[in-house]
Structures are given as C-alpha cells and as structure tokens.
Amino acid sequence: MCGIMGYVGSQSCSTMIYDGLKRLEYRGYDSAGIVVLGDSEIEVAKSVGKLFHLEDQLGRLSTKAKMGMGHTRWATHGAPSFENAHPHTHDGFALIHNGIIENYQALKIRLLEAGTVFASETDTEVILHLIHREYAKDNSLDKAVMRVIPMLEGAFAFAVMTAKEPGVFYVVKNSSPLVLGCGKTENFFASDALALLPHTQEMIFMEDGEIAKITADAIELRDFAGNPLQAERKKLPKLDSTAEKNGFRHFMLKEIHEQPSVIRTTLEKAFSLSGTLKLQDSVLGLSKFSLEKIKRIHIVGCGTAYLAGSLGRYFLEKWAHIPVTVELASEFRYRTPYLDNETLVIAMTQSGETLDTLASVKFAKQAGCPIYSICNVPFSSIPRTSDATFYMNAGPEVGVASTKAFVAMVLDLFLFTLDFGQRRGHISQEELEKQRSYLQRLPALAEQALQQESAIEQVAQRYFTATNSLFIGRGNSFAIAMEGALKLKEISYIHAEGYAGGELKHGPIALVDRHIPIVALAPRDSHYEKMLSNIEEVRARGGQVIGVGSKDDTRLAALCQDVLACPQIEQEDLQSILSVIPLQLFAYSIAVLRGTDVDQPRNLAKSVTVE
Ligand code: G6P
C-alpha cells in the first residue's frame, strides 16, 4: 500500500504535494512525509499518524523548492514511527516506496556486513543504500538504479532523487501502481491518477517492469533491460469535485445515505430507456465474450468485494445455470485452480488496485481465462487488465469501511446475471421484465431502510459495550451476515463473526451466553422458518438476539430482544441489498458510541496494494 506523489517543474511544490497526499491518504495513514530539493540540499518533513500532523511540519521546507515528493504510509515492515516514515534519506539521496521488497533481509545483511548504518526497520531503506552504494561507482543515478533493480524481489513502486543530480527523478514500477502526469514544463508521478487530476488530465499508466526518468521537460520510459519504450498518453476526464461530507458527520454515513441514488443511477444506466426492455451492452460489455464457450465462472475479490462476490454465486447458479466458485483473491492465485479459456474470471473490486485481486487476474489471464471486472474506479489497474468492465455508478467512496460500493457490486452482479442468463437462453424477455419491475422498487425501499436510522441508534445504545458478537443468516443472508460482522469489527473493533444460521450448532453455539449479542437476519424469504428455529436455539441458551426483518413481523419480534426493521421485497436476491443497510447503520452507530475513528479505522486502508 502507501501512496506516493512527486513533482518537478516551475511551481513551488511542498503544499501541492501535501494536497496530493490528502487524495492518497486512503492508501494508508500510519505516517507521512515530504522531501524537497531546496537550494542545493534535500529538506525533509515527516510526521507520525494521520496526514494532518504533517501540515504543521511543512514550514521546514523551502517554499522556493520546485522539485519534491511525498509519501503516506501503511506500515508493513517496521512500526508506524518517525524513523520508519518515508521519505528515507541518506547523504543527499531520498527515496519513497510502495510495496514490499521480499528479499530485503538478505540484502540488508550484506549491507550491514559492509558497514552500512540503517536508520529504520523498513525494507525500503535497503533500496536507498543499494542505490547510494552503486552511485559511488560512477556518479550516475541512472546507472545506479539500473544496477539495483535486478537485485530486488517483490512488488514495488519507488521513486528516487538526489541533490547530486538536481531536477531528475527515477521512478520504477513492478506490480504496485504508478501513474505519470504530463504537463508543460512540469511533470508528476503518483500512485493513482486522483492525486494528479487537479494538475493535469494527461497521464501515462506505467506497466510492470518499467522505469521512467522524469524531468520538468521530459518523461523517458524504458524497460528493466534498458530498452526505450513509447509511452502511451491517455486523457482522463476532469475531476468533478473532491469528495465532501455534505453536512454528514462522517463520510461513511454520507455514503450509506447515497445508496438509494447509487441504485437509481445504476438502473438508469444499465437498462436501455428506449421502447424495448434491454440491458445495455455498452454498460455491461458482455458481447466481448463468446458466451457459448464459457463453461464455469470463478469470482475473486478481497474483503467486502469478496463478500459481494459470494452473492454472485447464488445469483448466477440460480438464474444462468452455470457452475460458479467464489474465492478470496489471496488464496486463489496460490493454489492450482482449474483454469482454461472456457473459464470466466470475474474480479470484484471497488478500487481496481487491490494487489491480491490484480495478481489473481494476471494469473488467470496467463492461463487463458477471459476476464471481467466489476469496479468503481475508471482507468485503475484491474479494469486495464480485464477484457471488459462493468463500472459501478457509486462515485468516490472515502470511508474505509465499504458501504455503497458493496450495494453497487451486488446490484451489478445481479444485472450481470440477468444479462448473462438471458444471453444463454435461461431468462426470457418476460422474466427480465418481471425482474426489472422488482428492481425499480429498490431505490424507494432503500430510502425506507434509511429512515430507521434513529431507531437503530437506540438499539446500538444497548449493545455498544459488547466485546463479542455473532451474525447469522441463511441463503443470501449468509453473505449479508458476514458483511454485517465485517462492518462491525472494522469500525468498532468489537469481535464479530458471520455464520450460516444452520452452521451455528456445529461450533459457534458454544459461545452463546447472555453477554453475546447475536444479530439474526430473518427476512421473509424461503429460509424464514429455518431461521426462526435457529433463533430459538440461541434463545434456549440465553443469547440476546437482535433480529433483522420486517417491521410488522410479530413472530420475529416475540423471539428477539430488539429488531432492526428492514423493508421487504419478495424477490429474495434483491432483499440482500436492503438487508445490509440496517447492519451498516448499526455498525456505524456502535462505532460512534465507542468513539472510534469511523472513516479511518486503525490498521486499515481503503486500497491494499501489498500482498
Ligand atoms: C481493503 C478495504 C476493504 C475492501 C478491500 C478490497 O481491505 O479496507 O474495505 O473491501 O480492501 O478492496 P477493493 O478495492 O478491491 O474492493
């Protein structure tokens, strides 16, 4: 992970880099730092913790500096401390890095034996000392970088500068993302385009195995063997606006409230508005595949995206009659799944940058699989590696705990299923029409779900001191139980487990006592009766049950201490989209009561670009 940004040109740059880091803070907030090239020396400002602490340190940097780079860190090697904060500097050299140097220990031992003194515990500092050592051989940063790259193993993106060669950066990409921004007499680089869009729309997306030499007037690209490459420039659309809280206390709450409009926009874009009812290929992109060839599907993702994907299995097997597996991306690429050109791989990802998911996509692509992605961020790495992408209409998601992106992903998967099922002849036009009428009810129902906010806050008052909790659900609600548990643990730090209702008796029921709240999803679907029996089993052992179901469900209310009311829809796949909303609000209210940092919970980051 970590976010990096650099600038060389004619403008004063320290504040510009700080502003760029604000846009990259979602990538990590353990520490931050900026280095600039002053009159002839490098100058550094660093701070531990959230980025705003760095603002007080900016006065250390010359306002005249026209070249500099910054970093926001998510700690991998070495605690979040001042010493471990990037940029790392030594003898006029400065380096920032995103990724992991997997062989750093072996390299470090050799450097230590040769007398190098390390100032930090990071893997990054090894690259700095290697470049410094190699530079001494022929006083060429270019040659030093070229000699060091083959020594490094792992996924990395790094940038290096030295006061000995003012005005030039070398940036190197291997797996971790790097984008170059092209200006007139100024150039930029960053971990993602978002940081650069206020300054330029013209970007070069670096590929793995590339090095860029960046000066104010030129960007020269080459491969790791030194062969020059032609850079392909892309013009990105202007940034609409920076994400704002719009009066909400937290981004997460704002994003929860945006869900009805996300659903509405998605449906408007997906369905053709012209007379005939049709899903739009320009949005879903399925015509890019020869569907008759596809015999099975693997869905991969991480975190919330994985949980959204697990609903895809239920949808696709039921409606499109095709075998589907769903797997955590970090596991998928390290086993030997059966892959061939008849296996469609669907990557679920909000950011489009999650390294485990990206690596799975590359791995499957190499095995000949067609790749489809469902993603929120245009031009990000995973869509660029996919054959087709269904872009969510969720807008920027800032809260680290994903909410509206989850709802968008589930809805997108359902729409994908309808299109896929129809193209394969399993969904008739009449059926599509019926499903569309269910879908059209969703935005209003999602709005109703949000109206329960204050009632849910009241329930949260009774449970916010819990230390453990269980979430149970059956069928589609199993994935929702997992997502509800994930939301709660991410932002409130209460231990929470999501379980299939029927599985409770095979182990977790041993945890049940009067201190543990059990959140039980009981929409009026085909699993309803069985779910009520599971709730009875918990009650019989003294557990406190918080039901999630219909407001007027007297049977459920009679079995539960509390009920989080949720609007019902008789199409049970779509019920999942509604059922998750009370769980998001519940987790949010509990986190607020516990006083945690809701939008930037400890130890987490929005985009995880390390394995
Ligand atoms: C991180 C985030 C999660 C997210 C996961 C996958 O862990 O904190 O909220 O679900 O990455 O991210 P992606 O961008 O691939 O959906």
Side-chain angles (χ1 to χ4, degrees), residues 254-304:
K254 176 193 151 223
E255 287 158 6
I256 290 173
H257 277 268
E258 282 172 346
Q259 295 177 120
S261 90
V262 169
I263 298 170
R264 202 169 280 121
T265 314
T266 302
L267 295 176
E268 277 166 13
K269 293 206 172 151
F271 281 100
S272 156
L273 295 177
S274 65
T276 53
L277 172 71
K278 212 170 161 303
L279 280 156
Q280 307 229 69
D281 190 58
S282 57
V283 177
L284 280 94
L286 267 172
S287 66
K288 298 221 171 93
F289 303 97
S290 36
L291 294 188
E292 62 290 348
K293 265 188 83 177
I294 295 173
K295 300 281 187 298
R296 66 197 76 79
I297 297 179
H298 286 305
I299 301 178
V300 294
C302 302
T304 288

Side-chain angles (χ1 to χ4, degrees), residues 88-159:
H88 293 286
T89 56
H90 176 65
D91 187 26
F93 287 73
L95 189 135
I96 53 177
H97 165 226
N98 165 31
I100 293 177
I101 305 300
E102 288 173 355
N103 60 336
Y104 88 100
Q105 270 170 327
L107 296 167
K108 187 168 179 174
I109 288 168
R110 265 177 266 145
L111 285 163
L112 285 168
E113 283 166 0
T116 304
V117 177
F118 279 80
S120 77
E121 304 155 292
T122 64
D123 52 338
T124 305
E125 202 186 342
V126 163
I127 321 174
L128 175 71
H129 289 298
L130 287 171
I131 291 177
H132 179 258
R133 184 189 73 188
E134 293 301 313
Y135 184 87
K137 292 181 181 162
D138 42 22
N139 292 337
S140 159
L141 184 57
D142 195 312
K143 288 185 182 148
V145 170
M146 293 306 284
R147 284 198 292 268
V148 169
I149 289 169
M151 301 176 196
L152 306 175
E153 288 169 20
F156 50 81
F158 71 82

Side-chain angles (χ1 to χ4, degrees), residues 302-305 348-352 354 400 402 409 490 605-606 608:
C302 302
T304 288
M348 309 292 299
T349 176
Q350 188 283 130
S351 64
T354 303
V400 166
S402 184
M409 278 183 202
E490 279 180 318
K606 184 92 191 131
V608 182

Side-chain angles (χ1 to χ4, degrees), residues 236-549:
L236 267 61
K238 270 211 163 91
L239 203 63
D240 314 346
S241 65
T242 44
E244 302 290 350
K245 286 187 199 152
N246 295 346
F248 286 95
R249 186 166 169 196
H250 293 101
F251 279 108
M252 182 182 176
L253 188 60
K254 176 193 151 223
E255 287 158 6
I256 290 173
H257 277 268
E258 282 172 346
Q259 295 177 120
S261 90
V262 169
I263 298 170
R264 202 169 280 121
T265 314
T266 302
L267 295 176
E268 277 166 13
K269 293 206 172 151
F271 281 100
S272 156
L273 295 177
S274 65
T276 53
L277 172 71
K278 212 170 161 303
L279 280 156
Q280 307 229 69
D281 190 58
S282 57
V283 177
L284 280 94
L286 267 172
S287 66
K288 298 221 171 93
F289 303 97
S290 36
L291 294 188
E292 62 290 348
K293 265 188 83 177
I294 295 173
K295 300 281 187 298
R296 66 197 76 79
I297 297 179
H298 286 305
I299 301 178
V300 294
C302 302
T304 288
Y306 161 76
L307 293 174
S310 54
L311 279 160
R313 173 156 66 112
Y314 286 40
F315 297 167
L316 280 155
E317 295 208 339
K318 172 172 159 190
W319 293 102
H321 304 194
I322 185 160
V324 182
T325 66
V326 187
E327 199 160 342
L328 291 166
S330 54
E331 289 296 316
F332 177 76
R333 64 175 295 221
Y334 287 113
R335 59 182 189 90
T336 34
Y338 182 80
L339 299 175
D340 59 16
N341 61 2
E342 297 182 334
T343 309
L344 178 69
V345 169
I346 304 181
M348 309 292 299
T349 176
Q350 188 283 130
S351 64
E353 296 295 350
T354 303
L355 189 66
D356 288 319
T357 311
L358 177 61
S360 292
V361 162
K362 288 181 180 166
F363 167 71
K365 204 171 177 175
Q366 244 178 6
C369 302
I371 312 285
Y372 188 80
S373 52
I374 295 186
C375 181
N376 199 27
V377 182
F379 298 103
S380 54
S381 301
I382 293 170
R384 283 189 286 119
T385 318
S386 306
D387 297 298
T389 299
F390 185 170
Y391 282 110
M392 300 176 207
N393 290 288
E397 192 180 61
V398 178
V400 166
S402 184
T403 51
K404 61 177 179 172
F406 175 81
V407 157
M409 278 183 202
V410 174
L411 180 59
D412 293 353
L413 264 176
F414 187 72
L415 294 170
F416 171 88
T417 302
L418 292 183
D419 198 15
F420 195 78
Q422 195 181 37
R423 284 167 193 266
R424 284 166 61 94
H426 297 294
I427 295 180
S428 63
Q429 190 61 25
E430 201 187 347
E431 184 61 57
L432 184 64
E433 200 113 17
K434 194 169 151 198
Q435 294 304 319
R436 191 194 189 188
S437 65
Y438 285 128
L439 284 161
Q440 279 169 332
R441 288 169 50 203
L442 272 184
L445 290 171
E447 267 153 17
Q448 278 178 34
L450 292 170
Q451 285 160 15
Q452 295 302 313
E453 189 176 341
S454 53
I456 291 172
E457 260 170 47
Q458 310 256 308
V459 178
Q461 297 271 4
R462 293 195 273 283
Y463 298 96
F464 78 97
T465 54
T467 46
N468 288 296
S469 61
L470 285 171
F471 285 64
I472 54 173
R474 301 180 76 111
N476 292 329
S477 293
F478 171 33
I480 302 303
M482 303 272 287
E483 173 59 10
L486 180 61
K487 283 296 86 83
L488 187 68
K489 69 185 134 194
E490 279 180 318
I491 60 171
S492 74
Y493 316 145
I494 294 175
H495 176 235
E497 293 295 331
Y499 258 92
E503 185 64 13
L504 200 69
K505 56 188 174 290
H506 299 295
I509 204 160
L511 297 172
V512 174
D513 63 17
R514 65 193 169 83
H515 302 294
I516 188 166
I518 291 122
V519 180
L521 286 126
R524 282 210 182 96
D525 62 10
S526 52
H527 303 270
Y528 178 71
E529 290 298 338
K530 296 266 182 294
M531 197 60 214
L532 290 196
S533 305
N534 294 144
I535 294 175
E536 292 275 18
E537 290 157 15
V538 172
R539 260 170 58 89
R541 286 153 181 91
Q544 310 180 58
V545 183
I546 306 164
V548 183

Side-chain angles (χ1 to χ4, degrees), residues 30-106:
D30 287 332
S31 65
I34 294 178
V35 58
V36 298
L37 184 62
D39 283 341
S40 59
E41 297 279 310
I42 56 168
E43 299 165 1
V44 182
K46 294 202 229 186
S47 62
V48 180
K50 303 271 162 76
L51 182 64
F52 67 87
H53 296 295
L54 185 64
E55 200 165 4
D56 301 337
Q57 305 296 318
L58 293 181
R60 295 168 174 270
L61 306 174
S62 156
T63 48
K64 284 187 278 164
K66 311 270 163 45
M67 173 188 193
M69 58 187 187
H71 185 272
T72 173
R73 179 170 188 243
W74 185 81
T76 60
H77 296 59
S81 66
F82 185 83
E83 292 71 30
N84 292 332
H86 301 217
H88 293 286
T89 56
H90 176 65
D91 187 26
F93 287 73
L95 189 135
I96 53 177
H97 165 226
N98 165 31
I100 293 177
I101 305 300
E102 288 173 355
N103 60 336
Y104 88 100
Q105 270 170 327

